[in-house]
Amino acid sequence: MSSSAFPRSLSHALAPYGWDDDWAAAFTSYADRGLLPGRVVRVDRGQCDLATAEGPVRADTAFVTPHDPMRVLCTGDWAAVDPAGDPRFVRAYLPRRTAFVRNTSSNRSEGQILAANVDHAIIAVSLAAELDLGRIERFLALAWESGAQPLVVLTKADLVPDPVGLSYLVEDVAGAAPGVQVLPVSSATGDGVEVLRAVVSDGTSVLLGQSGAGKSTLANALLGADVMEVQTIRDVDGKGRHTTTTRNLLVLPGGGVLIDTPGLRGVGLWDAETGVGQVFAEIEDLAADCRFHDCAHEAEPGCAVLAAIEDGSLPERRLESFRKLLRENRRIVAKTDARLRNEIRRDWRLKSAEGRMNMAAKGRTR
């Protein structure tokens, strides 16, 4: 069955959820088996809710629950579900166009998929608390790695009534987010909401951030209704409790789809070297002019990155954050890559040997 062979009613019913001709073509083999396409709007305890042309469907995920956590069904997936039955089962899901993945907090170092098939990654940062540029850079690295286009939204902008002060905060964040739009928004006054609504009206967006960042309030502003529950924020530290406890896919009235997520306490990297490089694009550009191609930007002669630190064109904080995220990512990858583990051990042995030789040389010159 070709993509054009899908009933017009099916395509029309699923279009608000992001269904298009490419998804229809990818679903052809499942359609030939009589299965029904649907988009996963929520996953909970071995079951999921799907939006289908027949309406909402509750289905069991037992057939698509592998041992690999990177392959479990996720909010945003397009799935193939039984057309009838009690219970109904999801039989498969289509290959993902993009996937937002973080490292879990477990000692086993496993990836966790937070959302699938996302076009825009909206990173919500509250202006009710002091900006943490390092955390923003971490979110951005994961967003770039996912394949989605990041957008930083500074929520609760009404708490910074001075336009000059607000512009400085936007400038600080923009310096940590090259190539990314930084948008101050106030759900209370509506400032910036229409601009954000225009961005999310095209494709699927995922809303990310810490608890208390104002994600649920922002989601309500985009939805034009109080759909998401909002908790009171603690005055002592500007943080809130987890309002959203599951990842929910919502159709926006102005077009587009929004995936709201619970507040994230931890955002560990997961094989995100490319994403880190995009966040720190200016350092990557500078490194191309270093004398040595494997320059570590620590004490090497002819280091263009260190020269930029000295002349003030590159903030030292950016370099330190770059190093930190690269080290973390390298450790995570090494846990699942034996070759890289061996390389790290070899580098450590070489550096240890060099250190011993330098100490011995110093002893002979005394």
Side-chain angles (χ1 to χ4, degrees):
M1 180 185 294
S2 66
S3 60
S4 60
F6 276 86
R8 183 180 298 273
S9 59
L10 183 151
S11 296
H12 179 75
L14 291 180
Y17 291 90
W19 182 262
D20 57 29
D21 288 344
D22 290 337
W23 286 123
F27 197 82
T28 300
S29 61
Y30 299 109
D32 291 342
R33 291 162 52 188
L35 297 174
L36 187 70
R39 191 156 197 195
V40 178
V41 301
R42 186 171 180 264
V43 179
D44 183 32
R45 299 177 183 177
Q47 292 189 313
C48 69
D49 296 320
L50 303 103
T52 74
E54 296 180 355
V57 167
R58 183 76 168 169
D60 196 298
T61 64
F63 288 99
V64 287
T65 308
H67 295 295
D68 183 356
M70 298 286 285
R71 297 176 60 194
V72 300
L73 199 68
C74 178
T75 301
D77 274 323
W78 282 100
V81 65
D82 288 336
D86 186 18
R88 298 172 79 165
F89 289 95
V90 172
R91 297 293 175 175
Y93 63 84
L94 299 183
R96 294 159 176 151
R97 293 177 181 174
T98 63
F100 192 98
V101 183
R102 69 164 177 175
N103 182 38
T104 65
S105 57
S106 70
N107 293 327
R108 291 179 295 178
S109 182
E110 295 178 339
Q112 178 189 21
I113 297 181
L114 298 181
N117 301 313
V118 170
D119 301 293
H120 308 285
I122 304 171
I123 301 164
V125 180
S126 173
L127 291 178
E130 184 177 356
L131 289 176
D132 185 342
L133 298 179
R135 178 174 287 273
I136 294 173
E137 289 162 342
R138 180 180 292 272
F139 269 109
L140 286 169
L142 293 174
W144 281 122
E145 191 70 32
S146 75
Q149 171 66 46
L151 167 67
V152 178
V153 173
L154 302 180
T155 65
K156 308 178 186 180
D158 54 289
L159 298 180
V160 187
D162 177 22
V164 176
L166 181 59
S167 69
Y168 285 147
L169 292 172
V170 172
E171 184 178 339
D172 286 345
V173 176
V180 176
Q181 182 179 5
V182 179
L183 179 64
V185 170
S186 170
S187 299
T189 66
D191 290 344
V193 173
E194 285 305 315
V195 177
L196 179 59
R197 185 174 285 122
V199 172
V200 301
S201 65
D202 180 22
T204 298
S205 303
V206 61
L207 193 52
L208 305 154
Q210 288 183 283
S211 297
K215 297 189 305 300
S216 295
T217 302
L218 190 60
N220 286 336
L222 293 172
L223 289 162
D226 292 336
V227 175
M228 307 306 295
E229 182 183 358
V230 178
Q231 298 276 16
T232 302
I233 305 302
R234 297 193 301 246
D235 291 333
V236 64
D237 56 10
K239 295 181 180 180
R241 291 171 289 172
H242 290 298
T243 302
T244 304
T245 56
T246 57
R247 293 178 284 279
N248 303 285
L249 185 146
L250 309 159
V251 175
L252 298 173
V257 174
L258 180 70
I259 299 176
D260 192 21
T261 64
L264 300 175
R265 290 191 179 92
V267 280
L269 299 185
W270 178 259
D271 197 4
E273 184 174 352
T274 300
V276 173
Q278 288 182 268
V279 176
F280 299 93
E282 79 277 33
I283 297 179
E284 298 269 286
D285 291 341
L286 287 167
D289 294 327
C290 290
R291 180 182 301 177
F292 304 108
H293 71 87
D294 58 347
C295 184
H297 320 309
E298 293 178 350
E300 296 87 343
C303 175
V305 175
L306 294 181
I309 294 289
E310 291 179 5
D311 67 25
S313 59
L314 176 67
E316 189 170 359
R317 187 205 67 79
R318 287 281 286 171
L319 180 57
E320 289 301 319
S321 184
F322 176 63
R323 288 169 172 163
K324 178 181 178 181
L325 292 183
L326 279 184
R327 286 195 301 268
E328 177 184 328
N329 191 71
R330 192 172 172 85
R331 286 196 302 268
I332 293 300
V333 174
K335 289 183 178 180
T336 56
D337 188 329
R339 180 187 57 80
L340 182 57
R341 285 199 301 271
N342 291 332
E343 287 182 3
I344 292 174
R345 291 192 187 101
R346 185 174 64 253
D347 290 345
W348 181 83
R349 286 195 297 268
L350 288 173
K351 289 181 179 180
S352 296
E354 289 174 0
R356 289 193 296 271
M357 290 174 62
N358 290 336
M359 289 297 292
K362 288 180 181 179
R364 288 195 296 270
T365 58
R366 289 178 181 175

